[in-house]
Amino acid sequence: MLSVSKRLRRTLLASAATLIPSVVSAQSAPFTSLPAVTVDAPAQPRTAAARKPRQTQIAPNARTAHTAPSATPAPVGAQAPNVPGALTVLTAQQALRDIQQTPGGVALVTADAWRTSTPSNTIKDILDYVPGVFAQPKWGDDTRLSIRGSSLSRNFHLRGVQLYMDGIPINTADGYGDFQEIDPTAYKYVEVFKGGNALRFGANSLGGAINFVTPTGRDPFPNGASVDMGAFGFRRLQANTGGANGPWDGFITASTQSADGFRDHSYGEATRVSGNVGYQFSPDFETRFYLNANSVRQRIPGSVSKDSALNSPTTAAASNLTGDQQRNIDTVRLANKTTIRLDNTTIDFGVFGVDRHLMHPIFQYLDYSYQDYGGFAKVTDDRTIGGYRNVFVAGVNVINGRIDNNQYVNVGGQKGALTSSSIDRSKNTSVYAENSFYVLPSVALIGGTQFLYATRNRQDRFLSDGDQSGATEFNLWSPKGGVLWNIDPTWQAYANISRSAEVPSFGESSNGPGIPTIPFTSIRPQRATTYEIGTRGRRPDLTWELTGYRANITDELQCIYSAFGNCNVTNADRTIHQGIEAGLGIAVFKGMFDAGPQPDKLWLNMAYTFNDFRFDNDATFGNNLLPGAPRHYLRAELLYKHANGFYLGPNLEWVPESYYVDSANTLKTEPYALLGLKAGVDNGGTYSGYIEARNVLDTRYIASASILNQATATSPLFEPGTGRAIYAGVKARW
């Protein structure tokens, strides 16, 4: 297995080495074929109606102002000087303009918020300051991610949030997600659409969608290299290059990293490559081809009891050692996206295919081969109708897949006898439409709907334990309506009501000693109605976001846990998820040591999440709190920032109350507060560097927890948090 990993690693790096010289040569060639393309500026007749209300000054996430440079380099995500911009990939400013048309909780986080000031080795570094998002690494790249209480009952990997890379699905066709294919060094910005606000992606889950966007050869600073290293053997080398030559452009980035890990049996290594090549047939017609490949090898230390997590946090679970438990994955993703821009209408369409091989010795040895494929099309029409601006968006998403599913007895991390085998097929087709009608230049009424048709079909090939074959079919409507008010060019208010639906995946159903057998054909889809109201804005020394929501859920997917670490899903009757999401960025003081044209600042950045998740008169659990997420979660930093790019300051992660890990509300985690400190220089120029200390007081704490229905004091549910750690890195870009 490891020899295969090494061969794939060498192949990926060789491919990168082959592509890099050609991209560099493209960058050095002059522009002669096409005039500059300005995606923001359409034809003159629609300018007044279509562009004025967009209010591009507003930032939905204070995190974008995290380490603002003192000079005036090209903004992150902007097109390179004198280079025609890409049509298929929006700049951060264009994406911000579009995301602000959403009457609900959204965020856009640019790479300068995490890339040059943190080790950026997990998704937590990206999403730390997005209110409403709870992201806690478990081991390696695996993270417990929940948005508005999604996926709380998922004790492994991800459900309830749909992940995309450049608009291409990362989740498997049956709905489960993974973080091992996410490379935080590869993206120029990340979009977060919470709940029903992800309708434009065809997403229909409670948590919404996250879209990771890679640069193109038309972005500024397409070339770069970085080195990061730090505690517990963490080390990473990353490089990227790109450029444009007339109608052609290309970009490629590659990284290789490894870490011994804080806990025993947590060593991991990964090599990741992402790239794209675009061609502009005309200033209004572009196609782009994508490649993404990953090879990851990761040991798993496992969940342990509360006592072990707090008093012996580096100790791995005994069964993980004897079974040499691992999660190893190889993936290759190919995709194409084409954009055509007409007078008032933009058309996007494309196709994708993914080949994924999972080698996963845990309680059994899971050997799964995935082939996912699909396509998408979207039409955006922005015009004036009877003197009123109207924006209409409609599209279709298709994602189908096949899993060759084989499980074996795990014999010390090797395959033993075959225990189960099946072919699992999933089909998903979603059709959506949304219309925004501006009854006033600053007020839009928004209505939309989505229809999802999905099937799940299992063909059991291992019949000695019975025939688990079966099929299900789902037809689900999810309407939404809302209002968006641009109060002034820096301030928005919004409200919406939306429906969402979540179809169960094959992984929800399992069987074995001590596990109640619930066929996947018996599991109903989870449905929710969410009410939301809020405001967001950005002014020179102030950014904010404040959103309140309530989701009334029927048939929420809940799990029954076993000592083997499996989770079998059943549908709860009724549950409630409600909360407050608050983000703030403010210059507390200015001009302390430098009162010049660009004065120094003491900048406070905060993200607070209040969660109130509970059963609603459940026959078994009454009105108990739902387990798995803290009631209060605060992330804050106070940075001194100088115009020369220097920054320094402390940060805090605080969970002031423990939370339950079982539905019976008998066992809790422990509250904690983590103090950090970082310093660095980033003036937006060629070089940047940072040093960061995390958990400087070496606090012992529980970072995340799995859940079950009824826990005991010795239930192995807890993931210890990482101890004191120091990281440092340098980056060059040009």
Side-chain angles (χ1 to χ4, degrees):
M1 181 190 307
L2 294 178
S3 62
V4 173
S5 170
K6 292 178 180 177
R7 286 198 299 272
L8 180 58
R9 187 183 297 265
R10 287 196 295 268
T11 300
L12 295 178
L13 292 176
S15 300
T18 302
L19 288 170
I20 285 173
S22 62
V23 176
V24 171
S25 64
Q27 182 195 18
S28 63
F31 287 92
T32 58
S33 300
L34 295 175
V37 176
T38 306
V39 179
D40 275 333
Q44 187 65 29
R46 59 173 170 159
T47 301
R51 300 303 170 189
K52 185 177 179 181
R54 291 194 171 178
Q55 312 295 357
T56 58
Q57 296 95 323
I58 297 174
N61 188 348
R63 181 74 164 162
T64 58
H66 176 61
T67 53
S70 61
T72 55
V76 175
Q79 70 184 61
N82 303 316
V83 177
L87 293 178
T88 49
V89 183
L90 300 180
T91 67
Q93 287 76 18
Q94 293 163 344
L96 187 59
R97 174 203 68 198
D98 282 2
I99 207 172
Q100 286 162 4
Q101 295 187 66
T102 306
V106 292
L108 187 145
V109 190
T110 54
D112 58 353
W114 79 85
R115 183 67 186 90
T116 59
S117 60
T118 77
S120 56
N121 59 345
T122 70
I123 195 174
K124 176 178 170 64
D125 290 326
I126 299 175
L127 301 177
D128 241 358
Y129 288 84
V130 179
V133 176
F134 181 64
Q136 289 293 340
K138 298 171 64 175
W139 39 262
D141 304 298
D142 194 34
T143 300
R144 186 169 180 83
L145 174 69
S146 176
I147 300 179
R148 296 183 173 178
S150 66
S151 195
L152 289 181
S153 65
R154 184 73 167 184
N155 291 338
F156 49 91
H157 312 306
L158 174 70
R159 186 190 64 222
V161 177
Q162 295 175 252
L163 305 179
Y164 296 83
M165 189 180 300
D166 299 299
I168 310 301
I170 299 176
N171 295 53
T172 61
D174 70 327
Y176 99 88
D178 202 313
F179 300 101
Q180 290 182 291
E181 298 172 58
I182 301 299
D183 180 1
T185 71
Y187 313 116
K188 64 177 181 178
Y189 61 83
V190 176
E191 300 171 301
V192 181
F193 296 83
K194 303 171 190 176
N197 299 302
L199 179 142
R200 68 178 59 188
F201 282 98
N204 60 351
S205 55
L206 178 67
I210 302 175
N211 186 35
F212 303 87
V213 180
T214 54
T216 72
R218 300 184 182 277
D219 286 307
F221 306 111
N223 304 306
S226 64
V227 177
D228 300 88
M229 60 185 62
F232 317 118
F234 173 73
R235 47 205 178 271
R236 180 180 61 223
L237 176 64
Q238 177 272 338
N240 58 273
T241 189
N245 181 9
W248 290 97
D249 77 90
F251 177 85
I252 187 168
T253 179
S255 69
T256 182
Q257 71 179 57
S258 63
D260 299 328
F262 170 66
R263 300 178 63 194
D264 299 335
H265 199 70
S266 60
Y267 172 81
E269 59 183 13
T271 297
R272 302 181 175 98
V273 176
S274 295
N276 60 80
V277 175
Y279 183 82
Q280 288 190 354
F281 296 95
S282 78
D284 297 308
F285 182 9
E286 179 179 286
T287 191
R288 188 168 301 276
F289 295 89
Y290 292 90
L291 165 68
N292 173 257
N294 308 274
S295 176
V296 183
R297 299 294 180 266
Q298 178 67 56
R299 257 64 182 186
I300 304 175
S303 300
V304 295
S305 69
K306 181 177 178 179
D307 178 73
S308 178
L310 294 176
N311 297 310
S312 183
T314 62
T315 302
S319 60
N320 288 59
L321 295 173
T322 57
D324 192 16
Q325 295 194 17
Q326 308 167 43
R327 193 171 199 279
N328 307 318
I329 189 168
D330 295 326
T331 64
V332 176
R333 176 181 289 100
L334 298 173
N336 170 264
K337 180 182 179 182
T338 299
T339 298
I340 301 173
R341 187 177 58 188
L342 306 175
D343 181 35
N344 295 294
T345 305
T346 300
I347 303 170
D348 300 294
F349 58 91
V351 295
F352 65 90
V354 183
D355 183 83
R356 180 186 288 109
H357 186 200
L358 174 67
M359 300 146 283
H360 195 13
I362 44 175
F363 73 102
Q364 293 184 344
Y365 191 113
L366 279 57
D367 188 345
Y368 292 178
S369 294
Y370 301 80
Q371 287 82 41
D372 292 327
Y373 61 93
F376 57 93
K378 182 175 76 170
V379 175
T380 304
D381 184 83
D382 189 344
R383 68 178 65 229
T384 299
I385 299 176
Y388 296 91
R389 182 188 177 202
N390 190 81
V391 182
F392 176 73
V393 179
V396 59
N397 295 278
V398 176
I399 175 170
N400 299 332
R402 177 184 185 273
I403 309 173
D404 189 346
N405 173 340
N406 295 285
Q407 295 185 193
Y408 304 83
V409 173
N410 179 11
V411 183
Q414 302 297 318
K415 293 180 183 177
L418 182 69
T419 60
S420 71
S421 178
S422 67
I423 296 292
D424 299 340
R425 293 182 175 87
S426 302
K427 294 184 178 181
N428 309 271
T429 300
S430 62
V431 181
Y432 63 93
E434 181 178 85
N435 194 80
S436 302
F437 184 73
Y438 283 79
V439 294
L440 296 172
S442 61
V443 178
L445 300 181
I446 300 170
T449 190
Q450 180 198 95
F451 176 73
L452 172 66
Y453 172 73
T455 64
R456 303 288 184 265
N457 184 295
R458 167 166 287 170
Q459 177 188 348
D460 192 353
R461 299 178 297 185
F462 187 84
L463 302 178
S464 61
D465 61 350
D467 189 352
Q468 275 82 48
S469 299
T472 57
E473 180 178 295
F474 304 94
N475 296 275
L476 301 167
W477 284 99
S478 298
K480 67 174 293 186
V483 60
L484 178 66
W485 179 20
N486 296 311
I487 300 171
D488 66 32
T490 66
W491 181 13
Q492 288 181 318
Y494 50 82
N496 75 71
I497 303 173
S498 64
R499 289 275 284 168
S500 64
E502 189 174 329
V503 177
S505 65
F506 287 112
E508 316 296 358
S509 179
S510 51
N511 56 73
I515 306 174
T517 300
I518 303 174
F520 77 93
T521 52
S522 300
I523 304 172
R524 299 181 298 276
Q526 172 182 301
R527 301 301 310 267
T529 300
T530 302
Y531 307 86
E532 183 175 2
I533 187 170
T535 179
R536 56 176 169 251
R538 178 171 182 169
R539 293 174 179 172
D541 293 312
L542 173 66
T543 66
W544 75 89
E545 172 191 350
L546 180 63
T547 302
Y549 73 92
R550 177 185 172 102
N552 297 326
I553 307 172
T554 57
D555 293 324
E556 180 171 1
L557 300 172
Q558 291 286 329
C559 79
I560 299 175
Y561 184 84
S562 84
F564 295 89
N566 285 324
C567 166
N568 212 353
V569 159
T570 185
N571 295 105
D573 183 15
R574 291 181 301 171
T575 53
I576 296 170
H577 291 211
Q578 58 189 358
I580 297 172
E581 302 159 351
L584 176 68
I586 186 171
V588 181
F589 296 106
K590 293 178 62 177
M592 296 170 290
F593 305 105
D594 184 353
Q598 294 179 309
D600 57 351
K601 299 179 181 181
L602 190 62
W603 186 267
L604 175 63
N605 198 32
M606 299 176 60
Y608 167 73
T609 302
F610 169 71
N611 299 315
D612 182 20
F613 309 145
R614 59 182 66 245
F615 292 97
D616 186 10
N617 293 319
D618 187 81
T620 302
F621 302 114
N623 294 315
N624 282 2
L625 295 175
L626 291 172
R631 191 166 174 83
H632 304 276
Y633 181 71
L634 176 69
R635 195 76 169 94
E637 64 183 2
L638 185 64
L639 287 181
Y640 171 78
K641 299 194 293 185
H642 193 274
N644 62 14
F646 172 75
Y647 59 90
L648 169 69
N651 55 73
L652 173 70
E653 179 177 319
W654 188 25
V655 175
E657 292 183 13
S658 57
Y659 57 91
Y660 290 109
V661 297
D662 64 338
S663 298
N665 288 182
T666 60
L667 182 63
K668 288 185 174 183
T669 62
E670 291 293 330
Y672 68 86
L674 306 180
L675 180 65
L677 181 68
K678 66 180 175 183
V681 176
D682 180 12
N683 65 3
T686 301
Y687 300 102
S688 62
Y690 75 91
I691 183 168
E692 181 178 14
R694 298 183 171 182
N695 192 7
V696 295
L697 301 180
D698 202 22
T699 301
R700 293 187 176 184
Y701 70 104
I702 293 167
S704 66
S706 299
I707 73 163
L708 48 67
N709 56 335
Q710 178 75 57
T712 67
T714 59
S715 295
L717 302 173
F718 302 92
E719 300 284 347
T722 302
R724 182 187 295 116
I726 298 177
Y727 300 92
V730 293
K731 180 177 175 62
R733 63 178 191 171
W734 63 94

